[in-house]
């Protein structure tokens, strides 16, 4: 069982139609602050369009940025999936980012923020002691680029729970706590159309909050509950421990519960 961190952001930005944004996203995918480099690129096929020519095999790091940019800008791809390895035991990091094609969102019509960016990093056998803290700086930059209204950073003792939260898998489990991945996924699914506008996701180890949310709850209250607060673009970022290494500590969990209480009025209700 491996500890894992996951990042999930909602947005409505058409990355594929904004060359400068797409270029910066591509740069972040090859940023040296990732704990491990990614080597394989997988375009997300666009329905009823010619299949994007999948890059075969591992891509040299010097070519990965250009390949990622081409996929993000392509009209034959809905987005990009970049991974470190085909083997699960070696796939320590990955990223899946929607290109922002309005004609096909994969969400119900009328969804306010239909696109998602999903990133993952394994927390075991890190190449550098502060590798995850460095990676989180990449996430901050991505949130600003995406113009996301709400995003979270999951930290779980079992990486499989992170994957479930990222991809919304699993049916409701009444025998498990409310924050069990299956129950949280069911909760989010009921209000996905207005997530990011009417509602936010339940707070996690790291949570990005829009100005209206901060104003409603009170910055001072949020700061007192969190271990770290900082401005990230127009959002307020709150984190439950100073270091990623302590994300699963009792103190961090207590802080997350405190944030859950503060943010309960604007968190997607449990059905």
């Amino acid at each position: 069982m491996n500890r894992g961190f996951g990042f999930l952001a909602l947005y409505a930005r058409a990355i594929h139609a904004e060359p400068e944004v797409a270029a910066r996203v591509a740069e972040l995918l090859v940023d040296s602050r990732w704990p491990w480099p990614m080597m394989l690129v997988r375009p997300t096929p666009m329905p009823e369009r010619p299949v994007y020519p999948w890059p075969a095999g591992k891509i040299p790091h010097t070519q990965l940025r250009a390949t990622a940019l081409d996929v993000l800008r392509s009209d034959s791809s809905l987005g990009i999936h970049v991974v470190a390895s085909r083997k699960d035991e070696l796939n320590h990091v990955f990223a899946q980012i929607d290109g922002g094609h309005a004609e096909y969102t994969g969400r119900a019509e009328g969804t306010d923020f239909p696109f998602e960016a999903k990133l993952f990093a394994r927390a075991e056998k890190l190449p550098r002691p502060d590798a995850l803290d460095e990676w989180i700086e990449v996430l901050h930059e991505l949130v600003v680029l995406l113009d996301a209204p709400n995003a979270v950073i999951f930290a779980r003792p079992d990486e499989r729970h992170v994957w479930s939260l990222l991809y919304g898998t699993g049916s409701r489990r009444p025998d498990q706590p409310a924050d069990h991945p299956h129950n949280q996924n069911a909760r989010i699914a009921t209000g996905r159309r207005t997530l990011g506008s009417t509602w936010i996701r339940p707070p996690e180890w790291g949570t990005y909050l829009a100005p209206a949310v901060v104003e409603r709850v009170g910055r001072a209250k949020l700061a007192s509950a969190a271990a770290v607060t900082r401005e990230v673009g127009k959002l307020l970022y709150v984190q439950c421990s100073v270091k990623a290494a302590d994300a699963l500590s009792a103190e961090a969990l207590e802080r997350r519960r405190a944030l859950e209480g503060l943010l309960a009025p604007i968190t997607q209700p449990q059905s």
Side-chain angles (χ1 to χ4, degrees):
M1 182 172 69
N2 294 314
R3 294 174 298 140
F5 283 71
F7 167 84
L8 177 58
L10 313 173
Y11 57 98
R13 189 155 216 165
I15 296 174
H16 74 99
E18 300 186 55
E20 292 184 3
V21 174
R24 185 63 188 127
V25 171
E27 289 174 6
L28 289 179
L29 290 174
V30 299
D31 195 286
S32 62
R33 290 170 292 180
W34 280 84
W36 294 273
M38 292 184 285
M39 302 179 184
L40 301 168
V41 172
R42 297 293 180 260
T44 306
M46 172 79 79
E48 301 179 354
R49 297 278 180 90
V51 176
Y52 185 96
W54 281 34
K58 294 181 179 180
I59 299 174
H61 194 71
T62 55
Q63 299 176 22
L64 186 60
R65 177 193 174 278
T67 302
L69 176 57
D70 191 59
V71 174
L72 286 167
R73 296 292 320 280
S74 172
D75 287 333
S76 294
S77 173
L78 288 174
I80 190 169
H81 190 190
V82 189
V83 302
S85 174
R86 292 188 182 93
K87 297 181 179 180
D88 288 341
E89 65 271 22
L90 298 178
N91 195 27
H92 302 306
V93 291
F94 66 71
Q96 187 164 358
I97 300 176
D98 291 335
H101 292 268
E103 66 272 31
Y104 185 85
T105 68
R107 306 286 174 188
E109 186 177 353
T111 300
D112 294 329
F113 297 95
F115 308 118
E116 295 181 351
K118 305 166 186 174
L119 281 64
F120 169 80
R122 192 164 280 154
E124 307 292 341
K125 300 179 180 179
L126 292 165
R128 306 178 300 279
D130 294 328
L132 287 174
D133 298 298
E134 296 171 6
W135 179 64
I136 288 160
E137 294 298 321
V138 174
L139 306 185
H140 292 339
E141 293 182 31
L142 183 58
V143 162
V144 176
L145 276 172
L146 298 177
D147 195 20
N150 181 218
V152 292
I153 301 175
F154 306 108
R156 292 291 189 276
D158 187 339
E159 65 184 26
R160 294 172 298 180
H161 285 187
V162 176
W163 301 336
S164 178
L165 289 163
L166 288 175
Y167 291 99
T169 59
S171 57
R172 189 180 298 279
R173 289 285 303 276
D175 60 316
Q176 296 292 335
D179 66 349
H180 185 279
H182 289 199
N183 292 329
Q184 189 174 143
N185 291 336
R187 176 183 188 178
I188 294 302
T190 61
R192 181 62 182 84
R193 293 176 69 174
T194 55
L195 204 62
S197 51
T198 303
W199 307 108
I200 64 170
R201 291 189 66 97
E204 292 290 341
W205 174 73
T207 308
Y208 300 83
L209 302 168
V213 173
V214 177
E215 182 178 358
R216 178 170 175 177
V217 175
R219 184 186 177 109
K221 290 181 180 179
L222 292 166
S224 66
V228 174
T229 58
R230 62 177 282 186
E231 301 289 341
V232 175
K234 64 185 179 183
L235 305 181
L236 178 68
Y237 175 70
V238 294
Q239 187 172 289
C240 293
S241 66
V242 174
K243 292 287 189 178
D246 300 317
L248 299 174
S249 67
E251 179 181 344
L253 181 59
E254 184 177 346
R255 290 186 182 279
R256 182 156 71 93
R257 297 303 184 210
L259 288 169
E260 286 178 353
L262 288 173
L263 294 165
I266 45 179
T267 301
Q268 172 61 38
Q270 298 183 40
S271 58

